[in-house]
Amino acid sequence: MRDYLKFYIDGAWVDPITPKTAEVINPATEAVSGHISLGSPADVDKAVAAARRAFATWSVTSIKERADLLEAILAEYLRRERELGEAVTEEMGAPLSLGCGFHTMLGKGHISTALEVLKNYKFEEQHGATMIRKEPIGVCGLITPWNWPMNQTCVKIAPALATGCTMILKPPQLAPYSAQILAEILHDAGTPAGVFNMVQGQGSVIGTALSTHQDVDMISFTGSEPVGVQITKDAADTVKRVGLELGGKSAWVVLDDASMTTNVAGATGGMMGNSGQTCSAGSRLLVPAARMDEAIAAATEAANGVTVGDPTGNFAMGPVVSKAQYNIIQDYIQKGIDEGATLIAGGLGSPEGIDKGWFVRPTVFVGNNQMVIAREEIFGPVLVMIGYADLDDAVAIANDSNFGLGGYVSGEDLEASRDISRRLRTGAVWVNGGFDFGAPFGGYKRSGNGREWGEHGFTEYLEIKAVVGWSAG
Ligand code: NAP
Ligand code: MG
């Protein structure tokens, strides 16, 4: 049992001002795995006051001082990486191989990338007689979701620290454990009191208290579109900067010259990873209509080959995060059936032989882009395959979405693939796989307005000051 009942404020573990606890449920077993405290706006006030005090000194530290801290955090993170991964598995159900693999690798990557960017970052640049300074924006509220907890916390905390900001983290109720360990890591690495603070609790209470707070300068949020909209409205009265990383319905275009078998199988397997709970997942798979039969065969085989079970065992896919998410996904699968999509793998209910935990069957539909299952983010292991007539049609289908987070192209002809990448209205396109911690990540359209990762991620936490007349004449 993990009982994490204290908050981290001003360099110390403290009790909530008004005691109130909530159970945390293991999604694989439905058993209570521990408890957290649910904070109140008074706890947020305390944390914001600490962050404000710390800002006076942290904001004027040298690059070297901040780099030294990031290095110490990285070392401490590496020391406790296994523990972090196990916490991720317990809280949100990712298989251990993923929790202790890609999940913690992403967090580590954001810390080390921020460290490298910081070492050479130009906080001052002279343009003529004017000095343009980039200065930390101030006290930041970081509100994160449960689907890639270490990715989403580290991608905010590392650049915020690197730029000289101070912060209050509000972790998700569904994934509070890894955040707690991360706070211990920051403490043990010697983060000065007040620079980093963490208050657990409900988004509608803690998140709102941060968004509306007079003394919070910016909010960085990752999560759902409705909450992003609410935060933006809540933050408007105090004219905060709000960085939003929201959902997606990303298209994966397989070109006619590519191997249907390999690429469709790869895209299908990719969709099922992390139980489909990835904002940038390629959830619409676009294949040449003339080769749909081949694609169906490959997708069916790939989906049926995804093993589902106990995340601490040897399975490719664990449960989804909560009963509520399970029910939402079941409703979408029913919707797909009702609107006439062809179910070629998976379907309603849990996989055979599983009667505990929120396990969903790896599901693949063949449908069209007007269907609800092709328009809304399902956030579960559900793929929709859509046939396209030619490349113009593929681009039109891909761009016919409210979202604009990611895009994928698989093709032998690199020029043709690049051409598609230019025409997709999305914040990122991955051509034939590839991975880059330095590549900016964020959305067009309703997928958000910010850019995280690498050097671009620093911009979110920086104000720009012009000092005109810096040089005489
Ligand atoms: P969510 O409701 O948007 O929650 C994300 C974070 O915001 C959580 O920490 C949440 O707190 C907090 N929050 C909730 N209401 C808030 C408010 N009024 N003001 C400030 N903060 C608030 O996302 P979710 O419930 O975790 O997932 C729901 C859907 O969001 C998913 O089905 C998926 O479509 C989408 N999603 C997208 C991403 C992404 O990476 N783009 C990630 C996760 C989810 P609590 O702890 O109380 O929930
Ligand atoms: Mg929610």
Side-chain angles (χ1 to χ4, degrees):
M1 194 69 63
R2 295 174 192 258
D3 284 335
Y4 292 151
L5 301 181
K6 290 184 189 283
F7 302 146
Y8 186 69
I9 297 176
D10 210 8
W13 291 96
V14 298
D15 289 320
I17 290 169
T18 311
K20 185 178 176 190
T21 60
E23 291 178 338
V24 182
I25 308 291
N26 182 328
T29 62
E30 301 181 33
V32 175
S33 63
H35 299 84
I36 56 165
S37 287
L38 301 180
S40 65
D43 298 304
V44 173
D45 285 342
K46 246 171 81 176
V48 171
R52 177 55 61 196
R53 279 193 301 277
F55 185 72
T57 45
W58 184 247
S59 61
V60 294
T61 48
S62 66
I63 286 182
K64 167 92 171 59
E65 283 170 276
R66 299 199 296 280
D68 284 350
L69 177 63
L70 283 170
E71 233 154 63
I73 291 169
L74 185 59
E76 198 54 26
Y77 186 103
L78 292 173
R79 200 175 68 74
R80 300 189 65 182
E81 195 171 355
R82 176 83 198 170
E83 237 183 293
L84 283 168
E86 287 169 354
V88 167
T89 290
E90 191 170 332
E91 63 196 4
M92 56 73 71
L96 259 185
S97 56
L98 190 61
C100 296
F102 207 46
H103 273 274
T104 52
M105 190 277 273
L106 285 167
K108 181 169 62 185
H110 293 310
I111 299 168
S112 56
T113 302
L115 176 58
E116 287 316 306
V117 170
L118 174 61
K119 284 178 182 164
N120 300 301
Y121 198 81
K122 301 248 178 309
F123 288 93
E124 286 193 334
E125 271 179 298
Q126 198 160 342
H127 288 243
T130 300
M131 180 62 83
I132 297 177
R133 287 177 46 78
K134 293 178 180 165
E135 300 183 344
I137 192 165
V139 174
C140 303
L142 314 179
I143 304 175
T144 56
W146 45 264
N147 57 324
W148 287 96
M150 280 304 96
N151 173 56
Q152 285 139 341
T153 42
C154 294
V155 80
K156 297 186 192 307
I157 293 168
L161 286 174
T163 50
C165 290
T166 60
M167 66 211 75
I168 301 95
L169 172 69
K170 201 306 267 180
Q173 291 178 74
L174 291 173
Y177 298 153
S178 54
Q180 190 89 9
I181 297 170
L182 192 64
E184 291 171 12
I185 288 170
L186 286 156
H187 178 80
D188 292 342
T191 305
V195 169
F196 169 84
N197 306 273
M198 185 194 64
V199 180
Q200 304 262 23
Q202 297 155 281
S204 56
V205 176
I206 306 302
T208 307
L210 287 169
S211 308
T212 55
H213 207 288
Q214 290 284 352
D215 217 18
V216 171
D217 300 292
M218 79 84 88
I219 298 282
S220 177
F221 170 75
T222 301
S224 64
E225 186 190 330
V227 173
V229 170
Q230 187 59 50
I231 288 174
T232 305
K233 290 177 179 170
D234 288 343
D237 289 336
T238 47
V239 198
K240 285 180 183 54
R241 181 182 298 171
V242 178
L244 301 176
E245 303 291 340
L246 309 178
K249 195 76 191 179
S250 302
W252 187 316
V253 184
V254 183
L255 301 188
D256 201 15
D257 68 357
S259 156
M260 256 338 107
T261 317
T262 315
N263 288 296
V264 168
T268 306
M271 183 66 227
M272 307 310 165
N274 211 41
S275 302
Q277 303 166 125
T278 301
C279 48
S280 55
S283 50
R284 292 181 295 150
L285 183 56
L286 275 44
V287 301
R291 298 180 66 185
M292 185 54 94
D293 289 348
E294 258 176 280
I296 288 175
T300 308
E301 190 184 336
N304 290 340
V306 174
T307 57
V308 183
D310 178 1
T312 64
N314 198 17
F315 297 93
M317 201 176 98
V320 298
V321 72
S322 65
K323 185 170 191 203
Q325 283 296 123
Y326 178 89
N327 288 335
I328 289 171
I329 296 161
Q330 295 300 318
D331 286 350
Y332 274 115
I333 295 174
Q334 184 63 56
K335 188 108 207 162
I337 294 167
D338 292 345
E339 62 190 347
T342 309
L343 186 65
I344 62 164
L348 290 167
S350 296
E352 223 162 289
I354 295 185
D355 55 5
K356 262 251 161 320
W358 300 304
F359 294 89
V360 177
R361 300 170 69 190
T363 296
V364 183
F365 283 107
V366 179
N368 65 57
N369 203 46
Q370 300 315 312
M371 292 175 167
V372 171
I373 54 168
R375 305 209 72 82
E376 296 181 10
E377 186 180 45
I378 298 175
F379 230 59
V382 182
L383 178 67
V384 185
M385 283 213 295
I386 300 168
Y388 67 81
D390 54 27
L391 290 186
D392 288 344
D393 192 33
V395 170
I397 295 170
N399 285 337
D400 178 15
S401 173
N402 285 338
F403 295 109
L405 190 54
Y408 301 80
V409 188
S410 298
E412 290 295 319
D413 182 343
L414 190 57
E415 258 324 306
S417 302
R418 286 175 176 163
D419 185 50
I420 303 272
S421 79
R422 290 187 199 100
R423 296 168 68 190
L424 294 182
R425 298 280 299 159
T426 63
V429 181
W430 289 273
V431 175
N432 291 323
F435 184 85
D436 182 3
F437 273 114
F441 184 98
Y444 282 25
K445 302 195 266 183
R446 298 217 194 150
S447 291
N449 58 15
R451 289 296 178 276
E452 299 192 292
W453 297 50
E455 189 174 336
H456 281 85
F458 278 39
T459 310
E460 307 242 311
Y461 299 94
L462 291 166
E463 281 284 15
I464 293 176
K465 176 185 283 175
V467 186
V468 182
W470 181 273
S471 301

